[in-house]
Amino acid sequence: MSTGLLFRDDAYLKSASARVVAISERGIELDCTIFYPQGGGQVGDSGALLRANGERIAIVDTRKGEALDSVVHIPAPGATLPQVGEALTLEIDWERRYALMRLHTALHVMSCVVVAPVTGGNISPDKGRLDFDIEMSLLDGERIERETNALIARAVDTETVWITDAELDARPELIKTMSVQPPRGAGRVRLLRIPGIDLQPCGGTHVGNIAEIGGIRVLRIRSEGKRNKRIEIALTGKAN
Ligand SMILES: [Zn+2]
């Protein structure tokens, strides 16, 4: 059964109310959620589900379920499980998620500084990376850092745009990431637009203004194979 994905419309929700619709070996499914399930290179959220009696069910990870848009909340080993139909209060680990949002959005910006097909990527709370199909000699860490930070300093608001599958098919240049095809079948595809900088399909969570990224530094650049040159970045300082 599909889950209402509240983070899609508002990535800044730190808590919400939901009802349990299923419990399985994999975890807990709710009628709606603020927990982002691992996908598109972004790790799943952690946090807690609070019962009416004050009991706290720790959630250690979030994954996609089998049905389209279904989400499975994975409880800590040994946690008490709620009842189907029970109303819960959801709380995500906001500090961790906000770091993920800042890093994720930073990778969108960096993908416009390094002009090459993206072959992979990953975002964890302390660092993010993108892999590019490019010659090693074309990658200069200082330049990437300087130009990415210069774009971040433009402090523009990000926008979510929806287009139809057919519109996306007509604009294949929008798809930079060869390893992650945007999800199809729902009839529409979600894009992240950073005006004047980037436009690409993405279902992840982003900051509302790129100034919130603060700044980035390049941790390292290394070859992971002929078509994979990996650039790893971290955030510098606090969100603006
Ligand atoms: Zn994104």
Side-chain angles (χ1 to χ4, degrees), residues 104-105 108 192 201-206:
H104 185 139
T105 313
H108 278 269
L192 178 75
C202 190
T205 58
H206 310 95

Side-chain angles (χ1 to χ4, degrees), residues 165-188:
D165 287 357
E167 284 168 327
L168 182 64
D169 289 338
R171 298 184 64 188
E173 75 279 5
L174 289 176
I175 302 171
K176 290 184 191 170
T177 307
M178 300 181 331
S179 61
V180 185
Q181 283 294 315
R184 285 165 193 272
R188 57 180 202 157

Side-chain angles (χ1 to χ4, degrees), residues 100-205:
L100 290 167
M101 285 162 57
R102 292 167 65 206
L103 267 168
H104 185 139
T105 313
L107 292 179
H108 278 269
V109 176
M110 189 182 78
S111 77
C112 298
V113 167
V114 181
V115 183
V118 176
T119 51
N122 194 67
I123 304 134
S124 60
D126 59 336
K127 62 189 177 186
R129 65 169 169 82
L130 283 178
D131 298 347
F132 295 92
D133 185 0
I134 194 172
E135 291 299 319
M136 202 65 178
S137 60
L138 295 173
L139 295 175
D140 172 349
E142 272 179 40
R143 182 188 71 82
I144 294 164
E145 200 171 285
R146 189 176 61 243
E147 292 184 7
T148 302
N149 285 328
L151 290 175
I152 290 168
R154 290 190 194 173
V156 293
D157 286 345
T158 64
E159 299 164 10
T160 299
V161 189
W162 291 90
I163 62 171
T164 64
D165 287 357
E167 284 168 327
L168 182 64
D169 289 338
R171 298 184 64 188
E173 75 279 5
L174 289 176
I175 302 171
K176 290 184 191 170
T177 307
M178 300 181 331
S179 61
V180 185
Q181 283 294 315
R184 285 165 193 272
R188 57 180 202 157
V189 175
R190 184 176 186 256
L191 304 179
L192 178 75
R193 175 187 285 147
I194 307 177
I197 299 174
D198 188 35
L199 175 65
Q200 63 177 295
C202 190
T205 58

